[in-house]
Amino acid sequence: MALRFSANLSWLFPELPALPARLEAAAAAGFGAVEAAWPAGCPAQELRAAAERARVRIALLNAPPGDQEAGELGLAAVPGRQAAFRQGLEAAVHYARAVGCPRIHVMAGRVPLGTDRAAVAGEMETTFIENLKYTADLLSQEDMIGLLEPINNRITDPRYYLNTPHQAAAILEKVGRPNLKLQLDLFHCQIMDGNLSRNLETYFPLIGHIQIAQVPGRHEPDSPGEVNFPYIFELLESLGYTGYVGCEYAPTGDTLEGLGWLRSYWESRGLQHGGTSKAAK
């Protein structure tokens, strides 16, 4: 079965200022789904109206990151910020419900400034588990999925708490809730561990969403880099992956011109523009 791709509106079409315009551009490019970081400043009704006009699904949204001016990037594992985390999560659920989005990325957050990672690791894990149980209970009332994404601390964010799929899997096992899943960004996974084939096979039962970008530049999948994406796409098909593959990369130039890799994928699978079967016509 051919893969389904989601345009990350926080990264793609940066030449357009507003999320609804980016959504419409993604639909015109053939995407059937979109995703985004926390859509601050974009009213839910505007994004939903754009999605309905374009007949595009909103596949994933991030929960609010916290106080970014103070250096926060997520709150779920940050001790002392539980009340702010819950308030942000409730805002994310309200927004996701309004736009028909079934998945929320719950960002773990950063090791607090001035503290040693090893010294606070136990407290952060305890906080994370407690907040994730609260998350699972809240999302179960909405039939939504919560996602945990490991972010590399070698290049992208040295202070981020959740860094590897192994760490995320251990947390998910301790929480033990079926509506919490792994969001596996292959950019981060390659930087932290490589071994993408085995990691995908090992953690496949936990995966609720996948994201892609070439390494190390974080550009289009067919830009120069370490990852053989045609092979990865074939592997995901062979594993029976039916979720979305989020395109979370920085275009090297014009977004549309850089989507040759996606048009080639569709063509190689006998699909027309947009990833639908040519036989359907």
Side-chain angles (χ1 to χ4, degrees), residues 46-204:
E46 290 186 19
L47 194 61
R48 183 181 185 111
E52 289 176 347
R53 283 194 305 270
R55 298 183 179 179
V56 165
R57 293 182 179 179
I58 299 173
L60 165 70
L61 294 170
N62 285 5
D67 186 350
Q68 289 183 289
E69 291 186 3
E72 292 182 329
L73 189 68
L75 299 172
V78 181
R81 295 288 279 151
Q82 288 92 328
F85 167 76
R86 293 186 178 196
Q87 183 178 11
L89 179 65
E90 287 163 7
V93 168
H94 180 78
Y95 195 105
R97 185 196 308 128
V99 300
C101 176
R103 300 171 193 83
I104 296 176
H105 170 206
V106 182
M107 301 191 76
R110 291 168 168 154
V111 175
L113 276 172
T115 62
D116 177 71
R117 179 183 289 268
V120 298
E123 185 182 7
M124 292 192 75
E125 180 177 291
T126 298
T127 301
F128 201 18
I129 290 171
E130 290 175 355
N131 280 333
L132 288 174
K133 289 179 178 178
Y134 177 86
T135 298
D137 289 343
L138 183 61
L139 296 187
S140 68
Q141 300 170 27
E142 306 285 343
D143 198 24
M144 293 179 183
I145 298 292
L147 295 166
L148 284 64
E149 180 189 8
I151 294 176
N152 82 82
N153 64 346
R154 289 179 170 167
I155 297 174
T156 302
D157 198 326
R159 287 175 36 231
Y160 203 75
Y161 168 72
L162 186 67
N163 307 126
T164 68
H166 177 77
Q167 181 189 5
I171 294 286
L172 286 170
E173 184 176 3
K174 290 178 181 179
V175 177
R177 301 296 176 87
N179 64 333
L180 298 179
K181 297 285 186 180
L182 173 64
Q183 179 173 317
L184 190 63
D185 188 325
L186 299 184
F187 172 81
H188 297 300
C189 187
Q190 170 69 6
I191 290 171
M192 291 303 296
D193 192 47
N195 199 22
L196 295 181
S197 298
R198 183 58 61 86
N199 277 317
L200 281 167
E201 292 164 355
T202 299
Y203 299 112
F204 188 75

Side-chain angles (χ1 to χ4, degrees), residues 19-20 49 54 77 131 145 201 214 222 234 236 257 267 274:
L19 287 184
N131 280 333
I145 298 292
E201 292 164 355
Q214 188 55 273
D222 63 347
E234 290 180 3
L236 289 172
E257 290 179 6
E267 184 64 30

